[in-house]
């Protein structure tokens, strides 16, 4: 998802060092659909964008780009690079080497085979072609050497699944004024980092604004800082074809926070018109520009309208998925999720038609008294109690821990545990760090890094409390699922009159107007849709 197309113009530094035109394309991909989520690339991109903005760059910041949006962003930036003296691209996210060439991976790429992957991913050669259009220097900084998430599933041309670690080296023969910096050496991987940023990004933030560092010397220093930070485990590399003249991001003697303020008038920074941004977002008819407007102007008079348009887009997208499935369950889910949706009448009509078609025809003779209906496959009336000796740790309050069907990220996700889960039953752990887990009605495998024995010290959720079922059809039970979305299996059910339901956490999910909550009630547990839950004050979570 593109969060912003943000131009940060900070030419008020008023120094001759920044008289040249500087542009930067900054991309952070974290929320991968078919690969491991990376916590830090968005943080890295935001921080690098702000740092480059303070150095006089016009920054084009994007987050979570899919393939089409990635290509549009690069094409738009190519025009800016043509009119610049310095052109910079910073990318944080997953990267891959195929056939000696490097590719950056959009968040929606499936990468099932080398034959198709080259059309899904963005070639580093295209990035280099873009920055070479700059008048003085084209600079590419890649924090993209993390472990390849597709290494065990991607089919190569020679019939094997072996993918080399890290990215491949590049040559810049005859390309004067070009520099490429990698977060790690060829064949090695780079850390995502335990804090807000990766070690490579931390080094860049520390050194980019240091006065008097020619770009070659700057990245020599970046290599040393990262090597020291990681105790020698990670060593960045760079390749350069020097420009005709020395290039400094911040020349020696440039104005800094400790220098006296020059007696010049500050440059006038153009002000963005929120209404124009809103109208532009409406014209696109897409989620990302509307979400960008809401995030930047949460109290604007048009923000409620933007939220309604987002809900309408979600309604249309979910309805299309429902029609494609064309099942009773799919229409029931749509009616529950969009009770006031524009297609609810069509959903009810189609559901009734399917139910009528599926209903048994009357027998010519009286049928014998039927036996009691057996319990539905997968629907449980009780679950293991939540009094085991392990808990979830190191998960943010706005996140959850995935539960998979096997020991590794190649297995499908079958459920999620709340960030503050206690009483987790922790089974055997493999040498790769994956452990068997059971949490009420949810069971599978999670990465042991986020589990520990004992009661966790996580902060309580703002939504924790006692709830009851509301606004649910009295002849239908409320589904309890193994994760916070309708894509997860139904594992239990709540009575439409259930009270005294314990909720420990609630999480917002894309495509749903209300949060999904962890519930515990009379021996069953899992996730339920918060639209049908209310506390003693009658408020939904």
């Amino acid at each position: 998802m593109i969060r912003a197309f943000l131009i940060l113009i900070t030419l008020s530094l008023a120094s001759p060092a920044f008289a040249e035109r500087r542009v930067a394309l900054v991309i952070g991909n974290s929320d991968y659909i078919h690969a491991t989520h990376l916590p830090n690339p968005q943080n890295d991109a935001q921080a690098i964008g702000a740092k480059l903005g303070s150095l006089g760059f016009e920054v084009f910041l994007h987050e979570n780009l899919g393939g089409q949006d990635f290509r549009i962003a690069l094409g738009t930036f190519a025009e800016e690079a043509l009119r610049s003296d310095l052109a910079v691209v910073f990318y944080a996210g997953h990267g891959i080497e195929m056939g000696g060439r490097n590719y950056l991976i959009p968040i929606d790429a499936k990468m099932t085979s080398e034959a198709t992957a080259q059309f899904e991913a963005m070639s580093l050669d295209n990035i280099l072609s873009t920055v070479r259009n700059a008048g003085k220097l084209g600079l590419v900084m890649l924090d993209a050497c993390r472990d390849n998430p597709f290494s065990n599933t991607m089919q190569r041309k020679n019939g094997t699944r072996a993918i080399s670690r890290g990215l491949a080296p590049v040559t810049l023969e005859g390309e004067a004024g070009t520099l490429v910096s990698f977060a790690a050496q060829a064949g090695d991987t780079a850390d995502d980092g335990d804090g807000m940023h990766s070690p490579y990004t931390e080094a860049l933030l520390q050194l980019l604004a240091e006065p008097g560092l020619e770009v070659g010397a700057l990245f020599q220093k970046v290599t040393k800082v990262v090597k020291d930070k990681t105790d020698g485990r990670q060593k960045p590399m760079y390749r350069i074809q020097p420009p005709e003249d020395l290039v400094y991001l911040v020349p020696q003697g440039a104005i800094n926070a400790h220098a006296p303020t020059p007696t010049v008038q500050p440059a006038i920074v153009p002000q963005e018109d929120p209404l124009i941004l809103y109208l532009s977002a409406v014209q696109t008819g897409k989620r990302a520009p509307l979400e960008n407007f809401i995030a930047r102007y949460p109290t604007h008079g048009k923000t409620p309208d933007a939220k309604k348009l987002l809900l309408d887009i979600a309604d249309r997208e979910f309805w299309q998925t429902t029609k494609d499935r064309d099942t009773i369950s799919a229409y029931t889910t749509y009616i529950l999720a969009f009770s006031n949706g524009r297609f609810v009448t069509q959903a009810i009509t189609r559901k009734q038609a399917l139910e009528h078609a599926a209903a048994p025809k009357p027998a010519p003779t009286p049928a014998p008294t039927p036996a009691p209906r057996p319990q539905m496959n997968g629907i449980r009336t009780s679950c293991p109690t939540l009094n085991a000796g392990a808990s979830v740790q190191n998960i943010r309050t706005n996140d959850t821990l995935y539960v998979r069907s096997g020991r590794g990220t190649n297995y499908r996700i079958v459920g999620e545990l709340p960030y503050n889960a206690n009483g987790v039953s922790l089974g055997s752990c493999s040498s790769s760090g994956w452990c068997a887990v059971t949490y009420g009605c949810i069971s599978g495998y999670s990465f042991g890094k986020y589990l520990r024995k004992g009661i966790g010290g996580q902060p309580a959720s703002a939504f924790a409390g006692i709830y009851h079922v509301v606004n649910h059809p009295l002849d239908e039970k409320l589904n309890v699922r193994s994760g916070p979305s309708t894509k997860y299996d139904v594992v239990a059910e709540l009575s439409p009159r259930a009270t005294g339901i314990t909720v420990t956490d609630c999480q917002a999910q894309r495509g749903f107007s209300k949060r999904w909550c962890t519930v515990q009630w009379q021996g069953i547990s899992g996730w339920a849709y918060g639209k049908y839950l209310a506390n003693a004050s009658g408020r939904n979570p």
Side-chain angles (χ1 to χ4, degrees):
M1 176 181 72
I2 301 175
R3 182 181 295 179
F5 182 67
L6 177 61
I7 302 178
L8 303 172
I9 305 176
T10 55
L11 299 180
S12 59
L13 292 171
S15 169
F18 302 114
E20 60 200 3
R21 184 165 190 252
R22 302 174 164 202
V23 295
L25 174 64
V26 179
I27 299 170
N29 279 355
S30 286
D31 297 337
Y32 283 88
I33 299 173
H34 306 290
T36 309
H37 170 80
L38 295 174
N40 281 338
Q42 286 180 261
N43 300 332
D44 296 341
Q46 292 168 10
I48 291 294
K51 177 63 70 175
L52 292 174
S54 71
L55 301 180
F57 282 84
E58 299 174 32
V59 179
F60 299 82
L61 174 64
H62 299 268
E63 299 173 23
N64 296 321
L65 288 180
Q68 183 65 17
D69 290 331
F70 205 138
R71 290 170 177 80
I72 292 173
L74 186 60
T76 302
F77 183 70
E79 298 180 3
E80 301 296 334
L82 278 169
R83 301 190 299 273
S84 71
D85 298 290
L86 271 66
V88 172
V89 172
F90 173 84
Y91 172 81
H94 280 308
I96 191 173
E97 173 274 322
M98 294 185 295
R101 299 179 65 185
N102 299 314
Y103 295 85
L104 312 183
I105 305 178
I107 63 167
D108 57 359
K110 295 182 178 180
M111 309 290 283
T112 55
S113 72
E114 184 175 347
T116 59
Q118 59 184 316
F119 300 106
E120 295 183 275
M122 182 63 65
S123 171
L124 177 58
D125 294 339
N126 292 338
I127 307 292
L128 290 172
S129 297
T130 297
V131 299
R132 285 168 183 151
N133 293 326
K136 290 184 178 180
L137 177 70
L139 170 60
V140 177
M141 298 177 288
L142 296 176
D143 200 350
C145 307
R146 296 164 171 86
D147 279 329
N148 173 22
F150 303 98
S151 59
N152 295 326
T153 59
M154 184 174 164
Q155 187 70 39
R156 304 213 74 172
K157 290 181 180 178
N158 60 6
T160 71
R161 295 188 186 274
I163 303 292
S164 60
R165 291 161 54 87
L167 298 178
V170 297
T171 59
L172 302 176
E173 296 296 334
E175 300 293 344
T178 307
L179 190 153
V180 183
S181 172
F182 296 87
Q185 293 188 91
D188 286 345
T189 58
D191 290 342
D192 193 48
D194 296 326
M196 287 290 292
H197 303 295
S198 73
Y200 177 71
T201 294
E202 286 181 350
L204 291 175
L205 294 173
Q206 175 184 334
L207 297 172
L208 283 176
E210 184 170 326
L213 278 181
E214 182 270 331
V215 289
L218 167 64
F219 284 96
Q220 285 182 348
K221 204 166 183 178
V222 167
T223 297
K224 184 179 185 306
V225 170
V226 174
K227 186 177 178 181
D228 292 342
K229 283 178 179 289
T230 60
D231 297 325
R233 297 188 310 274
Q234 179 179 334
K235 184 179 179 181
M237 69 172 181
Y238 71 95
R239 297 288 183 269
I240 183 172
Q241 279 293 317
E244 295 180 0
D245 300 316
L246 296 179
V247 175
Y248 301 85
L249 296 187
V250 181
Q252 188 69 41
I255 297 173
N256 57 51
H258 304 290
T261 305
T263 56
V264 297
Q265 293 296 324
I268 299 176
V269 180
Q271 298 296 313
E272 179 180 70
D273 188 336
L275 182 59
I276 293 178
L277 183 64
Y278 167 75
L279 294 175
S280 298
V282 172
Q283 288 177 345
T284 67
K286 297 181 178 179
R287 289 171 175 264
L290 290 167
E291 291 171 340
N292 173 41
F293 171 78
I294 293 169
R296 291 167 65 180
Y297 300 101
T299 60
H300 192 270
K302 287 296 183 181
T303 298
D305 294 335
K307 291 181 178 179
K308 290 179 181 178
L309 288 172
L310 268 181
L311 184 60
D312 184 65
I313 292 172
D315 186 358
R316 286 188 280 108
E317 292 177 349
F318 200 85
W319 173 243
Q320 185 60 51
T321 301
T322 301
K323 289 196 301 179
D324 292 343
R325 291 175 60 191
D326 197 32
T327 63
I328 295 174
S329 175
Y331 290 110
T332 299
T333 301
Y334 174 84
I335 294 167
L336 293 176
F338 295 93
S339 57
N340 296 318
R342 62 166 66 185
F343 308 105
V344 69
T345 301
Q346 298 176 50
I348 293 173
T349 301
R350 181 57 181 160
K351 177 188 175 184
Q352 291 174 344
L354 291 174
E355 289 174 334
H356 178 75
K361 301 299 184 288
T365 58
T369 301
R373 183 179 180 183
Q375 180 175 316
M376 291 179 63
N377 184 31
I379 305 299
R380 306 173 67 165
T381 58
S382 65
C383 308
T385 56
L386 304 179
N387 60 359
S391 60
V392 174
Q393 65 172 348
N394 296 330
I395 298 294
R396 297 174 298 184
T397 56
N398 63 346
D399 205 349
T400 59
L401 176 61
Y402 285 143
V403 178
R404 296 181 178 271
S405 61
R407 301 177 188 271
T409 56
N410 297 323
Y411 291 91
R412 69 184 182 90
I413 300 170
V414 297
E416 299 182 32
L417 303 185
Y419 76 93
N420 58 359
N422 287 310
V424 179
S425 176
L426 185 60
S428 61
C429 298
S430 65
S431 59
S432 63
W434 288 84
C435 303
V437 295
T438 299
Y439 183 71
C441 293
I442 306 170
S443 61
Y445 299 88
S446 291
F447 196 46
K449 175 182 177 180
Y450 302 106
L451 299 164
R452 70 176 179 188
K453 294 183 178 179
I455 302 301
Q458 301 89 335
S461 169
F463 304 101
I466 303 300
Y467 290 74
H468 59 275
V469 175
V470 295
N471 300 328
H472 198 271
L474 293 181
D475 59 342
E476 294 187 18
K477 293 184 177 181
L478 176 58
N479 289 338
V480 176
R481 298 179 179 269
S482 59
S485 173
T486 54
K487 67 182 180 182
Y488 291 106
D489 292 338
V490 177
V491 294
E493 295 175 329
L494 294 181
S495 164
R497 297 183 178 86
T499 60
I501 302 167
T502 300
V503 170
T504 58
D505 182 38
C506 296
Q507 294 283 340
Q509 295 295 318
R510 183 179 300 172
F512 294 94
S513 59
K514 300 294 183 181
R515 293 177 171 82
W516 282 78
C517 302
T518 57
V519 295
Q520 301 166 30
W521 182 75
Q522 295 187 4
I524 63 176
S525 60
W527 295 81
Y529 189 38
K531 178 179 180 178
Y532 302 108
L533 299 173
N535 59 19
S537 301
R539 296 174 62 90
N540 298 117

